[in-house]
Amino acid sequence: MASHIGKLPIAVPAGVEVSIRGQEFTAKGPKGSDSYTIPDGVVGKVEDNQIIMTPVDDERPTRAKHGLSRSIVASMVEGVSKGYNKHLLIVGTGYRVVTKGKGLEFSLGYSHTITVNPPEGITFETPNANEVIVSGIDKQAVGQAAANIRRLRAPEPYKGKGIKYADEHIMRKAGKAGK
């Protein structure tokens, strides 16, 4: 039984150049370039503008690597062609963000401001004082950078104050019962 995800071919969009040399996969596109070492037990090949990943055997660890490597390669192809971004909202009276060079400076109700510098390959954008857009070509790095920003002041359940993803719904709790 093979991996259901691993069996799916990966379509290579126009403007993206891919190559596989041994176990080394590289993708170049309009947003940049990225590379990945395909794990042992999985073989990749490019045929007719599609990438096909095949396992060497039918062992359980190989099947797991098969689906994982296919997902990572597909994310890389999409990342170099379109890129990824995460939209964060800052909710709360007096909570705001300003751009300082390439980094961001947050005022989140603490006695001090918090400065966050972007990791390699990540860019920050602030359309207004209550929004942050984290962008890049690496899906994992964009998600991790957004999670690190959210962790600075995670949303609390009573008033919903804090940093949250734009598509996140905060479950609210009832406050004290007043008499």
Side-chain angles (χ1 to χ4, degrees):
M1 176 171 217
S3 166
H4 292 289
I5 298 294
K7 286 192 282 187
L8 299 172
I10 303 163
V12 179
V16 175
E17 186 181 313
V18 296
S19 67
I20 299 174
R21 288 190 181 87
Q23 294 299 99
E24 194 64 34
F25 171 80
T26 56
K28 291 181 184 150
K31 296 281 185 178
S33 64
D34 208 353
S35 65
Y36 172 67
T37 302
I38 299 170
D40 293 333
V42 180
V43 178
K45 59 185 174 238
V46 181
E47 295 177 352
D48 303 327
N49 249 7
Q50 288 187 332
I51 304 167
I52 298 166
M53 308 296 274
T54 53
V56 174
D57 55 41
D58 202 34
E59 300 295 320
R60 185 180 180 99
T62 307
R63 289 195 317 258
K65 291 177 193 172
H66 181 215
L68 173 71
S69 60
R70 188 261 176 215
S71 293
I72 290 172
V73 168
S75 293
M76 285 176 58
V77 169
E78 186 177 338
V80 297
S81 65
K82 297 180 201 162
Y84 289 100
N85 60 29
K86 289 275 187 178
H87 195 115
L88 297 162
L89 299 176
I90 302 169
V91 180
T93 306
Y95 291 9
R96 66 183 183 281
V97 62
V98 293
T99 306
K100 289 279 182 162
K102 287 187 177 184
L104 301 174
E105 188 173 86
F106 290 90
S107 298
L108 299 171
Y110 298 117
S111 61
H112 58 284
T113 59
I114 301 169
T115 304
V116 176
N117 292 314
E120 185 73 28
I122 301 296
T123 58
F124 295 143
E125 187 181 329
T126 54
N128 61 47
N130 295 327
E131 291 182 51
V132 176
I133 299 172
V134 181
S135 306
I137 62 170
D138 187 354
K139 186 176 189 179
Q140 190 274 334
V142 169
Q144 187 63 53
N148 289 343
I149 291 173
R150 184 183 182 275
R151 194 176 354 158
L152 298 175
R153 178 70 95 168
E156 52 96 9
Y158 296 101
K159 293 183 179 178
K161 292 168 52 171
I163 302 173
K164 68 175 194 146
Y165 297 110
D167 56 355
E168 181 180 16
H169 176 70
I170 307 300
M171 294 297 292
R172 303 297 278 277
K173 290 184 178 180
K176 287 189 205 176
K179 289 188 181 187

